[in-house]
Amino acid sequence: MSYILEVAKSIKNIFTGPLEYQFINYGGKALYVEGFLRVTLIGEEKIEFLLKKGMVTIEGKKLNVAEITAGSCVIEGEIEGVYES
């Protein structure tokens, strides 16, 4: 179950289809990411995820994976940016 898509349905946001990936940034201290295929890089300053079409990169300092399940992940640390390529 996608937490973000369930919230979007409850507030009646209009989506034409499922989003490829979603994230929630908790004040730069933690980041919840869902919808990726797999993790390709885990480092203290960069974490990368493979998407169906491209990659998403999380950059920051002292990054660590606090929790990971199939298709979702919680990252803790000093989140500086989320970049899609």
PDB file of all heavy atoms in Angstrom, residues 9 13 16 19 22-23 28-29 34 36 38 40 44 52 61 65 67 71 76 78:
ATOM      1  N   LYS A   9      -5.566  10.369  -2.447  1.00  0.00           N
ATOM      2  CA  LYS A   9      -6.961  10.001  -2.710  1.00  0.00           C
ATOM      3  C   LYS A   9      -7.888  10.615  -1.671  1.00  0.00           C
ATOM      4  O   LYS A   9      -8.983  11.065  -1.992  1.00  0.00           O
ATOM      5  CB  LYS A   9      -7.111   8.479  -2.698  1.00  0.00           C
ATOM      6  CG  LYS A   9      -6.533   7.795  -3.901  1.00  0.00           C
ATOM      7  CD  LYS A   9      -6.704   6.290  -3.761  1.00  0.00           C
ATOM      8  CE  LYS A   9      -5.905   5.539  -4.785  1.00  0.00           C
ATOM      9  NZ  LYS A   9      -5.987   4.088  -4.587  1.00  0.00           N
ATOM     10  N   ASN A  13      -6.871  14.785  -4.647  1.00  0.00           N
ATOM     11  CA  ASN A  13      -5.976  15.299  -5.685  1.00  0.00           C
ATOM     12  C   ASN A  13      -6.243  14.539  -6.968  1.00  0.00           C
ATOM     13  O   ASN A  13      -6.595  13.364  -6.942  1.00  0.00           O
ATOM     14  CB  ASN A  13      -4.505  15.117  -5.289  1.00  0.00           C
ATOM     15  CG  ASN A  13      -4.034  16.222  -4.391  1.00  0.00           C
ATOM     16  OD1 ASN A  13      -4.676  17.244  -4.251  1.00  0.00           O
ATOM     17  ND2 ASN A  13      -2.896  16.007  -3.775  1.00  0.00           N
ATOM     18  N   THR A  16      -3.575  11.417 -13.102  1.00  0.00           N
ATOM     19  CA  THR A  16      -3.966  10.675 -14.297  1.00  0.00           C
ATOM     20  C   THR A  16      -3.487   9.242 -14.227  1.00  0.00           C
ATOM     21  O   THR A  16      -3.941   8.404 -14.972  1.00  0.00           O
ATOM     22  CB  THR A  16      -3.390  11.339 -15.559  1.00  0.00           C
ATOM     23  OG1 THR A  16      -1.976  11.411 -15.438  1.00  0.00           O
ATOM     24  CG2 THR A  16      -3.955  12.735 -15.744  1.00  0.00           C
ATOM     25  N   LEU A  19       2.116   7.768  -9.759  1.00  0.00           N
ATOM     26  CA  LEU A  19       3.392   8.467  -9.879  1.00  0.00           C
ATOM     27  C   LEU A  19       4.517   7.443  -9.903  1.00  0.00           C
ATOM     28  O   LEU A  19       4.419   6.389  -9.302  1.00  0.00           O
ATOM     29  CB  LEU A  19       3.574   9.416  -8.689  1.00  0.00           C
ATOM     30  CG  LEU A  19       2.510  10.497  -8.546  1.00  0.00           C
ATOM     31  CD1 LEU A  19       2.725  11.248  -7.240  1.00  0.00           C
ATOM     32  CD2 LEU A  19       2.519  11.447  -9.723  1.00  0.00           C
ATOM     33  N   GLN A  22       7.646   8.771  -5.166  1.00  0.00           N
ATOM     34  CA  GLN A  22       7.220   9.861  -4.307  1.00  0.00           C
ATOM     35  C   GLN A  22       8.195   9.968  -3.149  1.00  0.00           C
ATOM     36  O   GLN A  22       8.832   8.987  -2.785  1.00  0.00           O
ATOM     37  CB  GLN A  22       5.817   9.617  -3.740  1.00  0.00           C
ATOM     38  CG  GLN A  22       4.736   9.373  -4.760  1.00  0.00           C
ATOM     39  CD  GLN A  22       4.659   7.937  -5.210  1.00  0.00           C
ATOM     40  OE1 GLN A  22       4.797   7.023  -4.413  1.00  0.00           O
ATOM     41  NE2 GLN A  22       4.462   7.716  -6.485  1.00  0.00           N
ATOM     42  N   PHE A  23       8.266  11.165  -2.572  1.00  0.00           N
ATOM     43  CA  PHE A  23       9.074  11.311  -1.365  1.00  0.00           C
ATOM     44  C   PHE A  23       8.460  12.366  -0.470  1.00  0.00           C
ATOM     45  O   PHE A  23       7.746  13.250  -0.924  1.00  0.00           O
ATOM     46  CB  PHE A  23      10.535  11.643  -1.688  1.00  0.00           C
ATOM     47  CG  PHE A  23      10.758  13.000  -2.297  1.00  0.00           C
ATOM     48  CD1 PHE A  23      11.008  14.104  -1.504  1.00  0.00           C
ATOM     49  CD2 PHE A  23      10.731  13.174  -3.672  1.00  0.00           C
ATOM     50  CE1 PHE A  23      11.209  15.352  -2.061  1.00  0.00           C
ATOM     51  CE2 PHE A  23      10.949  14.411  -4.249  1.00  0.00           C
ATOM     52  CZ  PHE A  23      11.185  15.507  -3.433  1.00  0.00           C
ATOM     53  N   GLY A  28      14.414  18.196   6.369  1.00  0.00           N
ATOM     54  CA  GLY A  28      15.827  18.005   6.094  1.00  0.00           C
ATOM     55  C   GLY A  28      16.525  17.037   7.034  1.00  0.00           C
ATOM     56  O   GLY A  28      17.726  16.812   6.926  1.00  0.00           O
ATOM     57  N   LYS A  29      15.777  16.420   7.941  1.00  0.00           N
ATOM     58  CA  LYS A  29      16.358  15.476   8.910  1.00  0.00           C
ATOM     59  C   LYS A  29      16.116  14.021   8.527  1.00  0.00           C
ATOM     60  O   LYS A  29      16.843  13.138   8.935  1.00  0.00           O
ATOM     61  CB  LYS A  29      15.782  15.730  10.308  1.00  0.00           C
ATOM     62  CG  LYS A  29      15.930  17.136  10.789  1.00  0.00           C
ATOM     63  CD  LYS A  29      17.217  17.303  11.521  1.00  0.00           C
ATOM     64  CE  LYS A  29      17.251  18.698  12.127  1.00  0.00           C
ATOM     65  NZ  LYS A  29      18.525  19.301  12.063  1.00  0.00           N
ATOM     66  N   GLU A  34       9.348   6.237  -1.844  1.00  0.00           N
ATOM     67  CA  GLU A  34       8.678   5.009  -2.255  1.00  0.00           C
ATOM     68  C   GLU A  34       8.509   5.008  -3.768  1.00  0.00           C
ATOM     69  O   GLU A  34       8.510   6.058  -4.403  1.00  0.00           O
ATOM     70  CB  GLU A  34       7.333   4.825  -1.568  1.00  0.00           C
ATOM     71  CG  GLU A  34       6.256   5.755  -2.018  1.00  0.00           C
ATOM     72  CD  GLU A  34       4.923   5.459  -1.355  1.00  0.00           C
ATOM     73  OE1 GLU A  34       4.883   4.894  -0.252  1.00  0.00           O
ATOM     74  OE2 GLU A  34       3.911   5.810  -1.968  1.00  0.00           O
ATOM     75  N   PHE A  36      10.529   3.136  -5.989  1.00  0.00           N
ATOM     76  CA  PHE A  36      11.742   2.822  -6.744  1.00  0.00           C
ATOM     77  C   PHE A  36      11.831   1.316  -6.980  1.00  0.00           C
ATOM     78  O   PHE A  36      11.169   0.530  -6.322  1.00  0.00           O
ATOM     79  CB  PHE A  36      12.990   3.331  -6.013  1.00  0.00           C
ATOM     80  CG  PHE A  36      13.141   2.796  -4.621  1.00  0.00           C
ATOM     81  CD1 PHE A  36      13.816   1.611  -4.394  1.00  0.00           C
ATOM     82  CD2 PHE A  36      12.604   3.471  -3.541  1.00  0.00           C
ATOM     83  CE1 PHE A  36      13.958   1.097  -3.115  1.00  0.00           C
ATOM     84  CE2 PHE A  36      12.740   2.983  -2.251  1.00  0.00           C
ATOM     85  CZ  PHE A  36      13.417   1.789  -2.041  1.00  0.00           C
ATOM     86  N   ARG A  38      15.062  -0.396  -7.164  1.00  0.00           N
ATOM     87  CA  ARG A  38      16.105  -0.906  -6.276  1.00  0.00           C
ATOM     88  C   ARG A  38      17.068   0.206  -5.905  1.00  0.00           C
ATOM     89  O   ARG A  38      17.117   1.242  -6.544  1.00  0.00           O
ATOM     90  CB  ARG A  38      16.859  -2.074  -6.896  1.00  0.00           C
ATOM     91  CG  ARG A  38      17.680  -1.738  -8.095  1.00  0.00           C
ATOM     92  CD  ARG A  38      18.308  -3.010  -8.678  1.00  0.00           C
ATOM     93  NE  ARG A  38      18.904  -2.750  -9.942  1.00  0.00           N
ATOM     94  CZ  ARG A  38      20.205  -2.563 -10.148  1.00  0.00           C
ATOM     95  NH1 ARG A  38      21.045  -2.623  -9.141  1.00  0.00           N
ATOM     96  NH2 ARG A  38      20.665  -2.328 -11.346  1.00  0.00           N
ATOM     97  N   THR A  40      20.794   1.571  -5.773  1.00  0.00           N
ATOM     98  CA  THR A  40      22.020   1.318  -6.531  1.00  0.00           C
ATOM     99  C   THR A  40      23.270   1.818  -5.832  1.00  0.00           C
ATOM    100  O   THR A  40      24.363   1.373  -6.146  1.00  0.00           O
ATOM    101  CB  THR A  40      21.943   1.949  -7.934  1.00  0.00           C
ATOM    102  OG1 THR A  40      21.746   3.356  -7.805  1.00  0.00           O
ATOM    103  CG2 THR A  40      20.811   1.342  -8.734  1.00  0.00           C
ATOM    104  N   GLU A  44      27.531   7.882   2.680  1.00  0.00           N
ATOM    105  CA  GLU A  44      27.234   8.881   3.700  1.00  0.00           C
ATOM    106  C   GLU A  44      26.823  10.219   3.110  1.00  0.00           C
ATOM    107  O   GLU A  44      26.204  11.035   3.783  1.00  0.00           O
ATOM    108  CB  GLU A  44      28.425   9.068   4.633  1.00  0.00           C
ATOM    109  CG  GLU A  44      28.641   7.902   5.572  1.00  0.00           C
ATOM    110  CD  GLU A  44      29.686   8.202   6.623  1.00  0.00           C
ATOM    111  OE1 GLU A  44      30.170   9.340   6.713  1.00  0.00           O
ATOM    112  OE2 GLU A  44      30.015   7.272   7.374  1.00  0.00           O
ATOM    113  N   LYS A  52      11.853   3.243 -12.930  1.00  0.00           N
ATOM    114  CA  LYS A  52      11.519   2.664 -14.224  1.00  0.00           C
ATOM    115  C   LYS A  52      12.161   3.459 -15.348  1.00  0.00           C
ATOM    116  O   LYS A  52      12.620   2.898 -16.331  1.00  0.00           O
ATOM    117  CB  LYS A  52      10.006   2.635 -14.432  1.00  0.00           C
ATOM    118  CG  LYS A  52       9.300   1.558 -13.675  1.00  0.00           C
ATOM    119  CD  LYS A  52       7.838   1.562 -14.029  1.00  0.00           C
ATOM    120  CE  LYS A  52       7.102   0.487 -13.248  1.00  0.00           C
ATOM    121  NZ  LYS A  52       5.679   0.486 -13.572  1.00  0.00           N
ATOM    122  N   LYS A  61      24.556  14.886   4.138  1.00  0.00           N
ATOM    123  CA  LYS A  61      25.665  14.534   5.017  1.00  0.00           C
ATOM    124  C   LYS A  61      25.173  13.542   6.063  1.00  0.00           C
ATOM    125  O   LYS A  61      24.030  13.616   6.511  1.00  0.00           O
ATOM    126  CB  LYS A  61      26.222  15.776   5.706  1.00  0.00           C
ATOM    127  CG  LYS A  61      26.831  16.768   4.740  1.00  0.00           C
ATOM    128  CD  LYS A  61      27.325  17.999   5.449  1.00  0.00           C
ATOM    129  CE  LYS A  61      27.850  18.976   4.396  1.00  0.00           C
ATOM    130  NZ  LYS A  61      27.792  20.350   4.838  1.00  0.00           N
ATOM    131  N   VAL A  65      20.483   4.606   5.900  1.00  0.00           N
ATOM    132  CA  VAL A  65      19.187   3.981   5.649  1.00  0.00           C
ATOM    133  C   VAL A  65      18.664   3.469   6.979  1.00  0.00           C
ATOM    134  O   VAL A  65      19.195   2.521   7.548  1.00  0.00           O
ATOM    135  CB  VAL A  65      19.315   2.844   4.610  1.00  0.00           C
ATOM    136  CG1 VAL A  65      17.993   2.125   4.440  1.00  0.00           C
ATOM    137  CG2 VAL A  65      19.820   3.390   3.281  1.00  0.00           C
ATOM    138  N   GLU A  67      15.416   2.450   7.482  1.00  0.00           N
ATOM    139  CA  GLU A  67      14.489   1.342   7.262  1.00  0.00           C
ATOM    140  C   GLU A  67      14.289   1.181   5.763  1.00  0.00           C
ATOM    141  O   GLU A  67      14.219   2.161   5.037  1.00  0.00           O
ATOM    142  CB  GLU A  67      13.149   1.654   7.933  1.00  0.00           C
ATOM    143  CG  GLU A  67      12.153   0.537   7.867  1.00  0.00           C
ATOM    144  CD  GLU A  67      10.887   0.839   8.656  1.00  0.00           C
ATOM    145  OE1 GLU A  67      10.949   1.574   9.647  1.00  0.00           O
ATOM    146  OE2 GLU A  67       9.840   0.335   8.248  1.00  0.00           O
ATOM    147  N   GLY A  71      10.439  -1.449  -2.209  1.00  0.00           N
ATOM    148  CA  GLY A  71       9.904  -0.245  -2.836  1.00  0.00           C
ATOM    149  C   GLY A  71       9.765   0.974  -1.962  1.00  0.00           C
ATOM    150  O   GLY A  71       9.320   2.016  -2.424  1.00  0.00           O
ATOM    151  N   GLU A  76      17.841   8.797   7.004  1.00  0.00           N
ATOM    152  CA  GLU A  76      18.075   9.801   8.044  1.00  0.00           C
ATOM    153  C   GLU A  76      19.408  10.480   7.780  1.00  0.00           C
ATOM    154  O   GLU A  76      20.285   9.909   7.135  1.00  0.00           O
ATOM    155  CB  GLU A  76      18.078   9.146   9.423  1.00  0.00           C
ATOM    156  CG  GLU A  76      16.738   8.586   9.816  1.00  0.00           C
ATOM    157  CD  GLU A  76      16.761   7.887  11.156  1.00  0.00           C
ATOM    158  OE1 GLU A  76      17.838   7.426  11.587  1.00  0.00           O
ATOM    159  OE2 GLU A  76      15.692   7.784  11.775  1.00  0.00           O
ATOM    160  N   GLU A  78      21.400  14.615   7.225  1.00  0.00           N
ATOM    161  CA  GLU A  78      21.182  16.000   6.810  1.00  0.00           C
ATOM    162  C   GLU A  78      20.873  15.995   5.315  1.00  0.00           C
ATOM    163  O   GLU A  78      21.774  15.991   4.488  1.00  0.00           O
ATOM    164  CB  GLU A  78      22.421  16.836   7.109  1.00  0.00           C
ATOM    165  CG  GLU A  78      22.761  16.900   8.588  1.00  0.00           C
ATOM    166  CD  GLU A  78      24.085  17.604   8.849  1.00  0.00           C
ATOM    167  OE1 GLU A  78      24.435  18.536   8.092  1.00  0.00           O
ATOM    168  OE2 GLU A  78      24.776  17.197   9.788  1.00  0.00           O
TER     169      GLU A  78
END
